[in-house]
């Protein structure tokens, strides 16, 4: 019988997998085990004896954390990933799915992003330590497949949002930061300030869809190359701002602060490979995803990561 181990259990994706209430799954968070320690990792894998692993654990941060600690982000993530994959190999794990992210793609690349372009250039200088460490997951997967025949694969989701995200205003990704800012603007009866023009487009995917897809990948996707997970639907920051404002019932002033950077205008990703494998998968709409996320945020504030 199969036994799945999920690393990063207290993070956004690990939590979304937990919500699916599957049987025979063991969840490990950083409170249970420091994955940077190989011997402890091996010991726990020998104890749990997982047949399958979904590896979501990582040391992550916003631009601030990434810029201040490129060395630490590089080393910690390299250790976590090499330890998990090596312990999985040594304990005979049949299948392992690990998470990368579209933010590790080359800074100068052609859009839409495609799996085959992952290594074709330097990542953005603001997160190069993290990005290179994450890219090594793909290298280790392929090397282990070639030498040991391991069935280890990786997935590359676009902008994930949902419950259990990091809602830091300064360091959070755009949607959790916006949700937190609108909440405070309503509470304090002050204008809500959005960074930039609101025009840029992003592909937002709800965490529970990514959880479901990762389980499908675990059972069905056996290619050695990574697969991008996205609906392929782009929404502007402005659309998302109005959706969140409506859900939070914020009626105050919304200011788009154009002195703040917009960043890249678009970062579209190619979902041809996903569509080829799963032509009928229905991603939930941003309306539904934001509604669920804001409900969770309101029910759990102030005990959220922020
Ligand atoms: P991400 O925050 O890592 O997802 O960064 P991206 O560069 O992919 O997207 C951020 C986009 O949202 C940019 O156009 C920002 O100008 C805009 N934005 C507006 N308000 C905020 C905010 O409060 N926090 C963040 N991170 N981005 C914001």
């Amino acid at each position: 019988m199969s036994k799945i181990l999920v690393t990063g259990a207290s993070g956004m994706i690990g939590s979304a997998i937990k919500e699916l209430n599957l049987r025979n799954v063991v969840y490990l968070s950083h409170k249970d085990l420091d994955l940077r320690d190989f011997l402890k990792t091996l010991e726990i894998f020998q104890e749990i004896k997982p047949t399958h692993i979904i590896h979501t654990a990582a040391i992550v941060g916003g631009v601030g954390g990434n810029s201040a600690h490129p060395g630490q982000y590089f080393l910690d993530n390299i250790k976590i990933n090499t330890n998990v994959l090596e312990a999985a190999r040594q304990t005979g794990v049949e299948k392992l799915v690990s998470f990368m992210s579209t933010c590790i793609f080359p800074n100068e690349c052609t859009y839409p992003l495609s799996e085959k372009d992952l290594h074709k250039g330097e990542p953005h200088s603001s997160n190069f330590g993290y990005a290179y460490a994450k890219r090594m997951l793909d290298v280790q997967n392929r090397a282990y497949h070639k030498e040991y025949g391991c069935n280890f694969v990786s997935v590359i989701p676009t902008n994930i949002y949902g419950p259990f995200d990091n809602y830091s205003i300064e360091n959070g990704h755009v949607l959790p930061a916006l949700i937190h800012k609108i909440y405070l603007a309503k509470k304090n009866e002050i204008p809500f300030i959005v960074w930039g023009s609101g025009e840029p487009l992003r592909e937002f995917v709800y965490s529970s869809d990514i959880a479901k897809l990762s389980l499908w990948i675990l059972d069905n996707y056996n290619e050695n190359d990574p697969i991008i997970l996205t609906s392929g639907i782009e929404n502007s920051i402005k659309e998302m701002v109005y959706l969140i404002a409506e859900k939070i019932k914020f009626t105050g002033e919304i200011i788009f602060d154009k002195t703040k950077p917009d960043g890249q205008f678009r970062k579209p990703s190619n979902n041809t490979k996903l569509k080829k494998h799963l032509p009928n998968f229905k991603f939930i709409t941003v309306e539904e995803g934001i509604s669920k996320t804001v409900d969770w945020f309101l029910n759990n504030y102030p005990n959220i990561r922020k």
Side-chain angles (χ1 to χ4, degrees):
M1 203 167 62
S2 68
K3 190 183 206 181
I4 304 174
L5 172 70
V6 177
T7 70
S10 55
M12 179 165 45
I13 305 161
S15 303
I17 298 173
K18 251 189 207 162
E19 296 281 296
L20 300 175
N21 287 321
L22 304 162
R23 288 191 305 142
N24 281 329
V25 186
V26 180
Y27 296 94
L28 281 182
S29 82
H30 61 280
K31 293 183 205 104
D32 308 308
L33 168 67
D34 184 351
L35 292 166
R36 292 170 297 189
D37 183 330
F38 178 68
L39 291 178
K40 288 216 175 85
T41 302
L42 183 62
E43 205 175 287
I44 291 210
F45 280 27
Q46 283 166 337
E47 218 171 89
I48 297 172
K49 299 190 176 60
T51 55
H52 295 69
I53 294 181
I54 300 181
H55 172 42
T56 78
I59 303 293
V60 294
V63 180
N66 265 301
S67 305
H69 306 289
Q72 186 202 331
Y73 279 40
F74 176 79
L75 185 63
D76 283 350
N77 284 300
I78 282 281
K79 277 187 182 168
I80 289 172
N81 296 335
T82 51
N83 289 349
V84 167
L85 269 59
E86 174 59 9
R89 181 189 76 81
Q90 287 194 24
T91 52
V93 168
E94 289 166 30
K95 179 76 178 280
L96 184 148
V97 178
S98 45
F99 273 79
M100 300 194 288
S101 147
T102 43
C103 71
I104 68 173
F105 267 87
N107 184 36
E108 283 172 31
C109 57
T110 49
Y111 289 98
L113 300 173
S114 164
E115 290 89 353
K116 64 179 177 18
D117 295 333
L118 179 63
H119 300 285
K120 291 187 184 159
E122 287 258 356
H124 193 272
S125 58
S126 64
N127 75 340
F128 78 101
Y130 173 83
Y132 271 122
K134 277 284 189 181
R135 286 187 193 181
M136 289 307 115
L137 273 170
D138 176 49
V139 173
Q140 199 172 352
N141 282 345
R142 286 187 282 137
Y144 275 31
H145 179 70
K146 202 165 177 198
E147 185 169 354
Y148 310 116
C150 294
N151 189 0
F152 295 175
V153 304
S154 59
V155 295
I156 313 178
T158 52
N159 293 43
I160 310 178
Y161 68 99
F164 299 94
D165 203 349
N166 175 4
Y167 286 84
S168 158
I169 287 176
E170 286 307 319
N171 264 326
H173 287 285
V174 52
L175 293 187
L178 289 176
I179 291 171
H180 195 173
K181 281 204 275 192
I182 302 189
Y183 167 81
L184 292 178
K186 182 181 174 190
K187 193 170 147 214
N188 301 323
E189 297 180 355
I190 52 172
F192 163 43
I193 298 166
V194 183
W195 298 347
S197 66
E199 304 296 333
L201 303 170
R202 295 291 181 269
E203 289 171 20
F204 297 107
V205 286
Y206 187 58
S207 55
S208 136
D209 280 338
I210 296 301
K212 288 177 200 157
L213 284 171
S214 67
L215 286 161
W216 184 87
I217 299 276
L218 194 64
D219 287 336
N220 302 288
Y221 179 82
N222 298 311
E223 290 174 28
N224 205 210
D225 294 320
I227 179 166
I228 292 176
L229 304 182
T230 182
S231 63
I233 296 172
E234 292 178 298
N235 288 100
S236 71
I237 303 299
K238 200 177 263 174
E239 281 175 90
M240 302 310 286
V241 163
Y242 289 124
L243 263 185
I244 300 167
E246 194 186 335
K247 176 70 190 170
I248 292 201
K249 299 192 174 67
F250 174 77
T251 50
E253 191 184 0
I254 300 177
I255 298 168
F256 289 89
D257 179 358
K258 292 183 183 158
T259 64
K260 286 278 190 332
D262 262 343
Q264 199 109 23
F265 177 57
R266 293 176 71 199
K267 300 177 176 179
S269 303
N270 186 329
N271 66 355
T272 311
K273 198 169 183 179
L274 178 65
K275 273 195 165 152
K276 190 186 91 194
H277 286 278
L278 266 179
N280 299 319
F281 185 83
K282 286 255 174 307
F283 283 87
I284 73 167
T285 60
V286 283
E287 286 80 5
E288 191 182 345
I290 286 295
S291 175
K292 285 175 188 235
T293 304
V294 169
D295 283 338
W296 180 88
F297 175 89
L298 296 175
N299 289 331
N300 290 280
Y301 201 87
N303 302 317
I304 54 168
R305 264 199 295 161
K306 58 184 183 295

